[in-house]
Amino acid sequence: MNLNAIKMAKPEAWPPPIHTLFARSISIRNLPALKSILMRINSIKLLLIIGLLQASASVVFGQVTLKESHAPLEKVLHIIEKQTGYVFLYTGKDVQSLTVSVEVSNVPVNEALDKCLKDLPLSYKVLDKNILLKRKEVAPLPQNKPANPIDKNIRGNVVDTTGAAIPNATITVKNSSFSSTADNKGEFTLTVQDNAILVISSIGFESKEVALSSEYNLRVVLHQSMSKLDEVHVIAYGTSTQRISVGSISKVTSTDIQQQPVTNPLAVLEGRVPGLSITASSGIPGSSFTVQIRGQNTLNSALGSLAPKDQPLFIIDGVPFAAQNDNLNQFQSVMSPGLGVYYNNRYGGVSPFNSINPADIESIEVLKDADATAIYGSRGGNGVILVTTKKGKIGKTGLDITVDDGISTVPKAMPMMNTQEYLAMRREAFANDKLTPSNIVGNRAYAPDLTVFDQNRYTDWRENFIGNTAHHLNTNAAVSGGNENTQFRIAGGFNQDTYIFPGDYKDNRASFSSNIHHSSNDKKFTLDFTTNYSYDANNSSSSLNLLTAFKLEPNYPDPLDSYGNLIWNYKGASLTGSYAGLNPMTFLKQGYSVTNTSLNANLLLSYQLFRGLTFRTNTGYGTFGSNEFSSFPIVAQNPAYNPTASANFGTNDLMTWIIEPQLEYKNSFKKAIYTILAGGTFQKKSDNTTQVQGSGYINDDLLNSISGSATQIASDQSTLYKYTAIFARFNVRWDGKYIVDLNARRDGSSRFGPDRQFGNFGSAAAGWIFSEEKFIKKQLPILIYGKLRASYGITGSDQIGDYNFISRYAPTSYSYNGTLGYLPQNLANDQFGWATTKKLEIGLELGFVQDRLLLSSSWYRNRSGNQLISYLLPDQSGFNSVIKNSPALVQNTGWEFTLQAKIITHKDFSWNTSLNATIPRNKLLAFPGLATSSYSTTYLIGRPVGEILGFKSAGVNPTTGLFQFYDATGKIVATPKAPSGNSLNDFYDLGSRDPKFYGGLANNISYKNVQLSFFFEYRKQLGINYLSQLYGTPGGEINQPEALIDSHWKSPGDNASFQKYAAVYGPAATALANYKRSDGVYSDASYLRLKTVSVSYLILSKVLSKMDVKSLRVYVNAQNIFTITGYKGNDPETQNFYGVPTLRTITGGLQLTF
Amino acid sequence: MKNKSRLLLIAILCVLASASCKKFTEVGPPKNQLVTSKVFADSADANSAIAGIYVDMYQSFGFGFASGGLTAYPGYSADEFKQNSNDADMNQFFDDKIDINNSYNAILWSSAYKYIYDANACIEGLSGNSKMSPTAKASLTGEARQIRAFLYFNMVNLYGQVPLVRVTDYKITQSQPNAPVDSIYAQIISDLSFAQANLPKNSKAERANYYSANSLLAKVQLYRKNYQAAENAANLVINSGNYHLEPDPNNVFLAGSTEAIWKIIPVFPGFETWEGYNFVPSDPTATPQYVLDNSLVNSFEAGDLRKADWIASNTISGISYPYPYKYKAATTSGAPTENYMLIRLAEVYLIRAEARADQNNLSGAVSDINTVRNRAGLPNLTATDQVNILLAIEKERRSEMFCEWGNRWFDLIRTNRADAVLQPIKPNWSHNSILYPIPAVEIKSNPALKQNQGYN
């Protein structure tokens, strides 16, 4: 920093150094950093940064009173500035050594100036709030050729190819350090030398150089950039491009979305974004996905179950999505199998994102590092996903209609035994157990399948229950258009997916979205109003047993009698008692339905207060309402028991609103273009649920009515969450080469106890576009773009439930002998506070051959400490967990790569490809007190938090035919010892199920009017195989996969991989239970999947245009075409043997554009 | 001026944005819940907290610790039920070889400690309160302590050295190790003595009172072999004249039963006791899920009304399946007709009989036994020596208390008869089977906890 410059700003520093231009304003004085930059401005090239100077806020323009005698002119000017708020602009040498004598009292500024400058060689001009002092022109220069370049005032406006104004474009003067910004209407005025070359640039457009000629009024047309680098992406409270961004941001566009015949926007992200891991829980329409950005930061909250994932923050059009990616279901259904042990996913359920129509989405941005997410503060600790819906564009009103129709099937499944194989297994099992199958109920050897059922009957129950073809229908229509001031888009869509189960199950969604953008004529005021509404009704079965129905004995009798009624007895064998033999049709009769309505509305108002200074407010409102119903009708029960029916009714209403006032100041100074953003957030979220259980219905027709039941039990839940923050962001780009981005914020959350509510967070990031350096340009001309970026920051998290710091009691659902009961609800802890994640990222981005090859790579390291977890406690504490800050420190590191190439860019033939890869690593860095904690035998320091600890299988004992294991010393034992105390005993470290690497490969090929796209997804990982999900002990009265026939132990001496069959409970069951906790049930689940193929043909014909049709596109889209995998099971993604794997869908469609 | 108003606008917005930031994030408790301190502010609310424990103990749909679980599982472990299920976890109880990961065992443990927490929370909440009258406070505290004693009594008999949790602070409770059996009993006796001293002398059996405190104390002292103390406590109940054996065994478990000393009124609307719901098959053609062992059915003397009234059976394909029929009803359209007995007068007579016999008061013992026998339609006892009288008490307890609160299982163990009786009929029996294993998940989440012998 120039010390003179600092002094100079103070009155006692008179007189100021020679050849220094300075401009003063109140606001500048308050910003020391800016001030020092300003002080360095070279006086020779006089150019005024009008916008900046106009920012002189918070003073009143008043009258002038002066009484000076032979005072330095600068001192007088300074006094006038103080009194009036006007700011003088001048070259230092022009005013140095000039003195004035003046006496005025309460006169307007122009009068005072007239008097001051009367005898001086200076003239003045009032420009808005500035006063420009210039030397009086002594004599005109010769007309023909100027000896020296002279300054001239030019005006200009910047427009795009459609003629619409491009607001806030940056105008720099080549080979100089001057720059300016156009206003909202794209207009600018400059004083430059007449031989200057102007460079005009704006986000999303190709920069343009304009040489000044005699034109004083410039019209600059910028072309939309075709380079990926200049593609606009949405960031927190603004937009940016890859070229100038220093954060880690990935984008998926509507083009990628529309190629996929899926109903859930989360599905389209799979494999497309480095660092983002998305896994389907099931192939059932509307079912949920787990979403995680850059690994699990927190410890698992529940032992022995599937870990909950750290979820990113989801923002739709600036409003946090009310439902986020949470499981909102209160009742069990085939979509939310609940707390089952191996074969299902407790985090299933209906995906709230199924309420968002992918056809309405313009882009999805995934923000990953501290720089990109810091502005969302504590809510963005696990990354942020921004969904932006489509907006109207200037132009003739157009109509776009798409219709597509197709089918879905289960791609591949392991075959189950047929009747002969099954009965052979059963007989072998009874022989092993030295028992004779009996037809006597209650006998240990009771086996109706061998003694009562038809020995030749065969039904492929899988084919019956999940082998059907589902139907997919999707139609969308959108009207959009607008003029320069107002644009709109209104769209509606309808989607229907049926199930692969028999029965009239389907998921119907109707959606409506609208957007209006308006700006005033002077472009100072803009308004954006967006609403997305959807209604989704999904009905299926509440019976989880439906998912496992195909384990039924293959010789089970026809479940329906000749009248179509369910049978309950077959030749004396009860079909109600033991579970294995329950009539499977009851599963189809148990109803479940959920209807979700989702509304997301956002109003963004923006007003330019002064040039460069904009006040904005983002107001959002979102609701997500869920109505659930599940029933257990009489028809699903044995009439002999005089059954009554029961039904559950549930509602879940989520509401969120958010208000975010912001002030943004954008300007440029010399070679710097900078933005200052300051704002606040107020957010409130409430969730109210009710549940009513009706029982004692005597008629199934009344099941939909609460009052139709004999008794009702009601309960409700209610939570309220409030969040507030203030934040500031400073971003500066210098000379198109250096970028600095700083964020700071203070967050408050209602989830913490008093004195723990507020936390401070921030980030700093810097980027260096080294390809702009002269020496790089000279040495490495092949490199057209190169950027090195780094960011570091601290984000927080309050991702725990509400009210955990308050010790609470709640009324019980039932009273005790007329007295209402109260029960404790939690173990309260008022000491927990913000969790923190420290994020570090370094990125390198390179572009070669005119942007045709872009490589971006990044390395990140996230460290989460002070995590908020549901800390496990033994049941003796009354509750099995308490919310507290965990002492553990978890680290996620990883590499991410994206390679984008335009292989062929011919007019008629083009081929683009994009490859991405992520190599994540997760590690528990530290856990003080681990040995004495409840996690002593769950985690290992230095290993991933998802590390599996279990027995080590030693195959099957050839003599006993039972699984055997290695003990801790490596000795083979029949029964290994489970952990106790803080000793792992015979548990080994079996590795982790976290992916080793994953990613995707996309290809887009177009030839004239034909477009072909295909997308591969790949993942290298360890998974659980089908053996972990075997139902019962093979040999029991349950059908098993055919694969066991060859692999199981048959007689002494066999070296088999699977143990012997057993008909009844005994040592085989214990050995299998241990085996299911061993490495035997984990195996490679890596896969390469052709996930999407899309072919389309665009028809442009005269016939069509006569019908006012602009274009017709015919297309075929397919999803999950094939998978290359060595996985032992059905689907390496869902890894559910009994669930529904992700389906294969093929659709054909038409797109009509009017 | 235009500029002035712009600036004013900004100023107002800035103030709005920064003010009330702090206030904004403050929330009260959820609207459907109460802050704990308010619950114990007055006796009506505190009474609801106690009532809540009874609801908690009886609201689970399955067999929880206090809702039939202690009848079913120890019934399998002893010689009351025969195996009749493909449920592997259930069979482990029957085989007396319980896996440390057994899901039912885990439920027994966790539900018991949940109720203990409920009781501890009341005891703590009441002790911190000063507005309530001392009598009301002591009485409610006494009830919570009696519930706690009852739970620990059953826990110590099922698992032996269980952690003795007396507070709610998880920082203390999470790492509490196994407590010696003697100190658990000391706590039980201390709790019951407090209850005895502070509970009202009414005969409202649905809530803890002076008499149920004494009845429990009698049982505990008998288990501790403090026979004099057991007899004294039993005397206070029997001599009070408040309770009478129902002449008809069919009426013993009815809501109006005069021998009920402590009972739970079923809370789940539309349902009777869970034992009635689970044991009694829904129609005569259905195979009962819980089938009584022949040795139990055959152990009744001829003419024992209890066999006729408390055991029923379904015959399917010519085979008879007997099941417990003490509780006879599964569902109800109104108030429950049957109540769930925690302790009743017949048991107190049997406790006193045993305490007297052990103190060599043989005639007193025989008189108590005969009281129970006569109600069952049986003649007076013929045995005269101590050994035979004690054997007769064991048999009488089996007939009277079968399928009630694991009495048979506990009797076999406390009298050291388990090995002799169960070894011959359970191939997997080992002496270590007398205690259930501490659930593996507990061992895992509390490294200070030691597993019972014979389990890993």
Side-chain angles (χ1 to χ4, degrees), chain A residues 286 288 326-333 335-336 348-351 592 594 596 626 628 652 691:
Chain A
S288 68
D326 298 333
N327 184 353
L328 306 176
N329 304 127
Q330 303 188 69
F331 305 140
Q332 272 191 340
S333 74
M335 267 181 286
S336 58
V350 182
S351 172
Y592 174 75
V594 56
N596 292 326
S626 187
E628 271 180 285
N652 191 344
Q691 242 189 61

Side-chain angles (χ1 to χ4, degrees), chain A residues 657 659-661 679-683 721-727 745-752 756-760 834, chain B residues 13-27:
Chain A
W657 61 249
I659 297 176
E660 297 185 294
T681 300
F682 295 89
Q683 190 193 341
Y721 169 58
K722 288 179 176 180
Y723 169 90
T724 182
I726 47 168
F727 56 84
R745 60 183 299 114
R746 181 167 170 80
D747 287 10
S749 163
S750 63
R751 288 180 174 153
F752 300 111
R756 289 281 185 163
Q757 292 188 327
F758 285 85
N760 298 323
W834 290 91
Chain B
L13 287 165
C14 288
V15 169
L16 275 179
S18 54
S20 77
C21 242
K22 185 112 191 166
K23 270 266 153 77
F24 184 79
T25 51
E26 281 167 15
V27 292

Side-chain angles (χ1 to χ4, degrees), chain B residues 81-92:
Chain B
F81 290 116
K82 72 161 85 165
Q83 180 191 312
N84 179 29
S85 163
N86 290 327
D87 184 335
D89 279 9
M90 196 74 97
N91 284 337
Q92 292 172 9

Side-chain angles (χ1 to χ4, degrees), chain A residues 441 609 807-809 820 822, chain B residues 6 33-34 36 45 48 321:
Chain A
V441 184
L609 296 156
S807 174
R808 292 168 281 125
Y809 264 77
L820 182 68
Y822 293 158
Chain B
R6 280 184 193 174
Q33 301 188 0
L34 286 171
T36 297
D45 280 312
S48 277
Y321 296 94

Side-chain angles (χ1 to χ4, degrees), chain A residues 441-442 609 615 641 716 722 750 757 803 807-809 814 816 820 822 875-877 934 937 1065 1077, chain B residues 6 13 24-25 28 32-34 36 45 48 84 92 101 173 176 206 268 282-283 319 321 442 444-445:
Chain A
V441 184
L609 296 156
F615 175 76
Y641 297 175
D716 61 354
K722 288 179 176 180
S750 63
Q757 292 188 327
Y803 309 115
S807 174
R808 292 168 281 125
Y809 264 77
Y814 329 111
Y816 182 66
L820 182 68
Y822 293 158
D875 287 326
Q876 68 188 55
S877 293
S934 48
T937 55
Y1065 176 76
R1077 301 166 78 192
Chain B
R6 280 184 193 174
L13 287 165
F24 184 79
T25 51
N32 61 327
Q33 301 188 0
L34 286 171
T36 297
D45 280 312
S48 277
N84 179 29
Q92 292 172 9
N101 292 304
T173 61
Q176 277 190 260
E206 70 275 10
F268 210 93
S282 46
D283 82 312
I319 300 162
Y321 296 94
E442 288 298 292
K444 191 175 167 71
S445 48

Side-chain angles (χ1 to χ4, degrees), chain A residues 285-400:
Chain A
S287 61
S288 68
F289 289 80
T290 57
V291 181
Q292 194 167 54
I293 294 175
R294 291 184 168 174
Q296 178 77 11
N297 290 320
T298 50
L299 301 182
N300 304 341
S301 69
L303 294 178
S305 63
L306 287 163
K309 300 277 186 182
D310 287 332
Q311 304 262 11
L313 170 72
F314 293 88
I315 306 248
I316 298 178
D317 290 324
V319 184
F321 185 42
Q324 291 294 311
N325 192 30
D326 298 333
N327 184 353
L328 306 176
N329 304 127
Q330 303 188 69
F331 305 140
Q332 272 191 340
S333 74
V334 287
M335 267 181 286
S336 58
L339 284 166
V341 186
Y342 291 116
Y343 55 90
N344 57 31
N345 181 339
R346 74 178 284 200
Y347 297 98
V350 182
S351 172
F353 280 87
N354 206 51
S355 291
I356 310 286
N357 185 353
D360 287 331
I361 296 175
E362 179 63 35
S363 69
I364 300 175
E365 268 84 5
V366 180
L367 315 184
K368 293 177 280 195
D369 73 335
D371 178 61
T373 59
I375 204 77
Y376 286 112
S378 52
R379 298 167 302 165
N382 296 324
V384 181
I385 294 184
L386 303 178
V387 177
T388 309
T389 56
K390 287 178 178 165
K391 307 286 186 281
K393 293 195 174 71
I394 297 172
K396 216 179 88 182
T397 302
L399 172 65
D400 189 274

Side-chain angles (χ1 to χ4, degrees), chain B residues 188-210:
Chain B
I188 292 168
I189 291 168
S190 149
D191 280 346
L192 289 175
S193 307
F194 182 90
Q196 189 192 35
N198 293 288
L199 284 174
K201 288 191 181 177
N202 63 29
S203 51
K204 284 184 185 154
E206 70 275 10
R207 294 293 290 265
N209 61 26
Y210 170 80

Side-chain angles (χ1 to χ4, degrees), chain A residues 229 242-245 736-739 767-773 776-777 780-789 843-849 851 853-856:
Chain A
L229 292 170
Q242 189 186 342
R243 190 186 296 277
I244 58 168
S245 159
K737 286 183 213 167
Y738 313 107
I739 304 154
W768 175 34
I769 305 180
F770 53 84
S771 52
E772 293 297 310
E773 299 287 358
I776 296 282
K777 283 188 170 168
L780 276 172
I782 186 173
L783 187 74
I784 64 100
Y785 170 71
K787 182 172 75 182
L788 194 60
R789 59 178 172 82
L844 176 68
E845 292 164 16
L846 301 170
F848 303 95
V849 212
D851 293 6
L853 189 63
L854 289 178
L855 172 72
S856 93

